[in-house]
């Protein structure tokens, strides 16, 4: 500042200039009359002055406690850290709106998201046969990086997928994700193509999956299981209402959000059951994905399937699931139905409460496990169910019923005594779910360590059952098939293969007799 300006300010009788900060004039720097406006002083003390008073109070408390009780050095450090920490009076969700949107009734879609607008982490969340799930943040130029929304991005290698013949399965997954908007689903907010990959941007659950939680905690409290299982029932019911079976329910596919709500993930095992659901999977949504290149035009994707979409074969009879959670009728070769999801729900309930699956074998052979599932009966499992409460045991026994006609349905489980006084279809409206403790070391449940191994999905072809074959209908006194009656000449005459076998036996006998004569 020049000397003329300094002299002018002093001679004009103006008061001393207020202090400056990085964002402008500090409002508490004004000493004049209290006016209105953004620069008007407030009754609140400046952060620096208030912080000095807190430190002074900390020193006074230290002096008072010095004579009464000698505190250790680490205790004094902890007390001092509490003084240094800022007063968090605002809810964290105000700075992280995407976390609050996780349990909204409809997802926040990003129809024009591009690849260059995502920042990926070096560590992957999960990996499959032809896809990788990566952690990413969407860039928001108006906010700091810590406030950028978090997502789980499923990157599908389209070339590997086509070589393995999984295009129909991936197409069904995209179809289901576009149809579902229930809060109990890890919903898809955007999708696009970039280079040789297809990118599905999904909601991110920061607390991990239930399998990881079980490994750390061993088992869960019954009130916690009620909440998580209730939200799983509501999500399964939403899938069933659009005409699909989930097909692969297990702890690894149930993820927990930052607010401790449960969501279903990984819809590769979904299969259509109704005619409308099958028609929706007739078109390849995978091939019609918009481009995610930054040079492409911002064209919002249409959630409905257009007639111009590429056709895809729907004759894929393969199904996907995890052996440990399959019902007996599917292990025998049948296709999964809504009853299969109910059986897996019973397995999930039992494992969350006890820390181990209801059906287990000591060997590593999968055939032994399949045999145990087929021969499963409630009488043999009654001893294991005794570890559960009466209400939990009643629900598990009705869901793990081998007879599909007697098995409790998923929607029927919502009104079971286990959920008495709890509306499972309104749990997503709660601000938070049950708090889960954080352990520094994993506490393994008692028993076989293989209970803690992650169970991976498998794809197989459904084998036709004997009852799937039926004779043609008869017409009057004639049957549809043509009967060829045996003639008198053919009666008693051996077939060609039998005569050949008889001649071979005679030749073999003659050669043996000649060998013995020598």
């Amino acid at each position: 500042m020049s000397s003329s300006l300094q002299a002018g300010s002093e001679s004009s009788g103006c008061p001393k200039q207020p202090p400056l900060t990085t964002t402008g004039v500090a409002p508490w720097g004004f000493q004049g009359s209290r006016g209105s406006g953004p620069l008007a002083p407030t009754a609140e003390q400046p952060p620096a002055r208030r912080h000095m008073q807190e430190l002074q109070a900390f020193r006074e408390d230290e002096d008072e406690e010095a004579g009464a009780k000698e505190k250790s050095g680490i205790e004094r450090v902890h007390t001092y850290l509490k003084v240094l920490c800022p007063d968090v009076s605002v809810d964290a969700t105000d700075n992280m709106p995407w976390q609050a949107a996780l349990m909204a009734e409809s997802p926040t879609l990003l129809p024009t998201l591009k690849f260059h607008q995502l920042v990926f982490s070096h560590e992957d969340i999960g990996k499959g046969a032809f896809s990788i799930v990566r952690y990413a943040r969407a860039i928001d130029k108006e906010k700091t990086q810590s406030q950028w929304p978090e997502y789980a991005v499923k990157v599908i290698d389209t070339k590997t997928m086509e070589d393995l013949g999984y295009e129909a399965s991936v197409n069904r997954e995209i179809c289901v994700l576009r149809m579902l908007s229930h809060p109990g689903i890890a919903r898809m907010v955007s999708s696009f193509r970039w280079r040789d990959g297809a990118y599905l941007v999904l909601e991110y659950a920061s607390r991990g999956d239930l399998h990881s939680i079980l490994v750390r905690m061993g088992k869960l409290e019954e009130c916690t299981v009620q909440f998580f299982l209730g939200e799983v029932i509501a999500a399964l019911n939403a899938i069933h209402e659009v005409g699909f079976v989930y097909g692969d329910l297990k702890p690894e596919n149930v993820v927990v959000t930052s607010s401790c709500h449960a969501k279903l993930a990984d819809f590769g095992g979904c299969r259509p059951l109704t005619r409308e659901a099958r028609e929706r999977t007739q078109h390849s949504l995978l091939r019609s994905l918009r481009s995610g290149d930054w040079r492409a035009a911002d064209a919002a994707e249409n959630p409905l399937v257009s007639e111009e979409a590429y056709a895809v074969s729907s004759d894929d009879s393969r199904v996907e699931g995890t052996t440990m959670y399959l019902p007996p009728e599917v292990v025998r070769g049948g296709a999964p139905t809504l009853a299969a999801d109910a059986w897996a729900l019973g397995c999930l309930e039992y494992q969350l409460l006890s820390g181990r699956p209801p059906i287990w074998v000591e060997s590593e052979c999968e055939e032994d496990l399949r045999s145990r599932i087929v021969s499963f009966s409630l009488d043999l499992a009654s001893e294991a169910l005794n570890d559960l409460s009466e209400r939990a045991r009643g629900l598990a026994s009705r869901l793990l019923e081998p007879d599909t006609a007697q098995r409790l349905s998923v929607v029927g489980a919502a009104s079971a005594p286990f959920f008495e006084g709890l509306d499972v279809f309104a749990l997503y409206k709660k601000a938070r779910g049950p708090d889960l403790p954080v352990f520094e070391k994993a506490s393994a449940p008692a028993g076989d360590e293989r209970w803690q191994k992650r169970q991976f999905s498998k794809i197989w072809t459904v084998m036709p059952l004997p009852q799937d074959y039926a004779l043609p209908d008869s017409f009057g006194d004639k049957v549809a098939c043509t009967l060829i009656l045996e003639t008198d000449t053919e009666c008693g005459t051996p077939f060609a293969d039998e005569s050949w076998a008889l001649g071979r036996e005679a030749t073999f006998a003659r050669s043996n007799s000649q060998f013995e004569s020598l």
Side-chain angles (χ1 to χ4, degrees), residues 219 221-223 225-226 349-350 353-354 382 384-397 417-419:
K219 59 182 180 180
E221 298 292 336
E222 184 168 313
C223 59
V225 176
Q226 286 177 339
E349 180 213 358
Y350 182 89
L353 289 172
S354 64
S382 59
L385 294 177
N386 289 335
D387 298 336
L388 309 182
S389 66
E390 183 178 355
R391 295 189 305 174
R393 184 167 59 251
L395 178 61
S397 61
F418 183 70
F419 300 104

Side-chain angles (χ1 to χ4, degrees), residues 276-313:
E276 181 181 1
R278 293 189 185 95
E279 291 177 352
R280 285 180 175 268
T281 58
Q282 293 294 318
H283 304 275
S284 177
L285 301 178
L286 180 64
R287 299 183 183 181
S288 59
L289 290 178
R290 62 181 178 85
S291 174
D293 192 272
W294 64 274
R295 293 165 293 188
D298 290 339
E301 53 194 5
N302 186 4
L304 300 178
V305 182
S306 61
E307 295 296 333
E308 292 79 10
Y310 298 94
V312 65
S313 176

Side-chain angles (χ1 to χ4, degrees), residues 168-182:
S169 177
V170 175
N171 182 74
R172 280 192 298 267
E173 181 176 5
I174 298 177
C175 178
V176 173
L177 287 171
R178 286 194 177 184
M179 294 172 62
L180 294 174
S181 61
H182 192 273

Side-chain angles (χ1 to χ4, degrees), residues 421-444:
L422 195 66
D423 185 5
V424 300
F425 299 104
L427 292 177
Y428 71 92
K429 298 180 180 179
K430 294 183 177 292
R432 288 190 61 84
D435 291 331
L436 299 175
V438 179
F439 295 90
E440 296 182 359
K441 296 182 180 180
S443 57

